[in-house]
Amino acid sequence: MNFFQALFMGLVQALTEYLPVSSSAHIRIIGDLMIGKDPGAAFTAIIQLGTELAVILYYRRDIIRILGAWFGSLFGKEGKDLKSRLGAHNPDTQMGWFIIIGTMPILIAGLLFKDAIETTLRNLWITVTVLAVFGVLLWVFDARSKQVKTMKQMTWKDALLFGVGQMLALIPGVSRSGGTITFGRAMGYTREAAVRVSFLMAIPAVFGAGILEAVSAIKDVSACSAGDAASCTAIGAFPGWGATLAATVVAFFVGYVVIIGFLKFVSTFSYKAFAVYRIGLAVVVALLLITGVLPAIDPSVAAAA
C-alpha cells in the first residue's frame, strides 16, 4: 500500500465508521480491489483511532462529566455504600459502569479469538453473509420497534446486550455501530439514544484494540526489517508508519464532520437506507467473489492462518 492509497483508506474509514455499514468490511473489500490484498487488521485498527479521537472531541463534555462522576463515586463522593458507588444517585456514574459492562464482551472475545478475528473471520463470504443478515435485522427492528427508551432508562441488562452487539462487530461486515444500533432499536431505544450509546461504548474498545495492534505492528515491522518472513507476512500491506499516521489524521478530521451529519440524519430519517445499502453491497461483493474478481481469503492471511 502506498502513501496515497493509505490516505484513501483513511477517508473510507471516516465515511463508514459511524454508519451502520461496517468500516472494516469496506476497508477489506476496497483494499482487495485497490491493492490486491487485505490491508490487514493492524492497519484497520490503528486508523480507527482517528475516528475515535473525533468521537472524543465531539462528546468531550459528556466524557469529562461521566469520568468525573465515576471516579468520584469510587472515592465515596456520592455515598459510602455499594449502591451509591454503583451510581444509584447519579446517572453519569451509572453510565460509566454501563460503558464498562458493555466493553467486557468485546474485550473477552477479542482476547480469546484474536487469531480467528485476524484470519478466518476475514473471509469475504462471511462478510457477505453478515452484511446481508444485519442489514435485514436493522431494517426490521428499526421499522417495527417503538422509540420509547432513552439513555436514562438504560439498565445493566441493556448495557450487556449493547455490548453483545458491539462484540459481534469483531466479524468484518457486522459493523460496530450497526451491531449496537440494531440491538438498541430491538430493545426500543430511540434512534438518537442508540447512536449515542454506540459512540460512547466504542471508545474504550476501539482504543484498546488500536493500541494493542500498534504495539504488535511495531514488533512485526521491526522483525520484518530484520528479515523475519513470518513478521513480514503478519503486517501484510502495512504502508509504514508515516502513511498510517497520515491516514489516521484524515480519518479524524473527516470523521468529525461525518458525526455531525449522521446525528442530524438519524434525528429525521430511519435506518432503512443503510439497511438497503448493506444488502446491496452484499450482493455486489458476492458477485465479485463468484466471478473471481475478489478472492474470499487473502493469500497472506491464509498463510498466517
Side-chain angles (χ1 to χ4, degrees):
M1 193 190 313
N2 62 40
F3 185 84
F4 294 104
Q5 289 170 334
L7 290 184
F8 183 73
M9 287 297 190
L11 178 62
V12 172
Q13 167 65 23
L15 294 174
T16 58
E17 170 66 17
Y18 313 113
L19 312 183
V21 297
S22 181
S23 61
S24 58
H26 281 76
I27 294 294
R28 168 76 171 88
I29 294 163
I30 293 174
D32 258 322
L33 290 173
M34 186 169 64
I35 62 177
K37 66 190 305 183
D38 184 351
F43 175 78
T44 303
I46 293 169
I47 63 174
Q48 283 178 339
L49 293 176
T51 45
E52 286 312 305
L53 284 171
V55 171
I56 290 176
L57 178 62
Y58 188 85
Y59 285 109
R60 60 192 181 279
R61 293 184 179 87
D62 290 345
I63 294 169
I64 291 171
R65 192 179 66 251
I66 290 170
L67 285 175
W70 187 81
F71 278 108
S73 72
L74 290 182
F75 294 99
K77 184 178 179 181
E78 299 166 15
K80 303 295 183 181
D81 59 295
L82 181 60
K83 288 185 176 180
S84 297
R85 293 181 190 273
L86 293 178
H89 311 300
N90 191 329
D92 288 327
T93 300
Q94 267 195 340
M95 183 52 60
W97 286 111
F98 289 159
I99 290 173
I100 292 173
I101 291 172
T103 302
M104 295 309 295
I106 195 171
L107 174 63
I108 295 171
L111 292 174
L112 291 178
F113 304 107
K114 184 177 186 296
D115 290 340
I117 292 165
E118 295 182 351
T119 54
T120 307
L121 293 180
R122 297 185 77 81
N123 185 310
L124 278 180
W125 279 115
I126 295 177
T127 300
V128 165
T129 302
V130 295
L131 272 172
V133 169
F134 271 83
V136 172
L137 291 176
L138 178 61
W139 192 339
V140 171
F141 287 132
D142 189 47
R144 297 186 178 182
S145 298
K146 296 180 179 179
Q147 295 195 72
V148 294
K149 298 176 74 173
T150 67
M151 293 178 69
K152 293 181 179 179
Q153 281 79 54
M154 187 179 293
T155 64
W156 302 94
K157 178 182 176 182
D158 290 355
L160 183 59
L161 289 174
F162 270 116
V164 172
Q166 179 171 246
M167 176 194 71
L168 293 175
L170 291 171
I171 307 171
V174 171
S175 169
R176 181 175 289 101
S177 60
T180 50
I181 288 170
T182 298
F183 273 58
R185 290 295 295 118
M187 291 185 284
Y189 281 84
T190 66
R191 295 187 182 105
E192 295 89 341
V195 168
R196 191 177 178 208
V197 172
S198 174
F199 284 0
L200 292 175
M201 200 167 280
I203 293 172
V206 173
F207 263 98
I211 291 171
L212 288 175
E213 290 292 355
V215 171
S216 178
I218 290 171
K219 294 179 180 178
D220 287 334
V221 169
S222 299
C224 180
S225 299
D228 182 67
S231 297
C232 292
T233 299
I235 62 175
F238 192 74
W241 287 107
T244 300
L245 292 176
T248 304
V249 171
V250 170
F252 168 75
F253 283 107
V254 178
Y256 189 84
V257 176
V258 174
I259 291 174
I260 298 172
F262 183 45
L263 290 173
K264 289 182 178 179
F265 182 92
V266 297
S267 65
T268 306
F269 303 101
S270 73
Y271 290 112
K272 180 179 178 180
F274 300 112
V276 171
Y277 175 82
R278 290 179 64 100
I279 297 169
L281 180 61
V283 172
V284 171
V285 176
L287 291 174
L288 293 175
L289 288 169
I290 292 171
T291 56
V293 175
L294 285 176
I297 304 176
D298 183 88
S300 63
V301 174

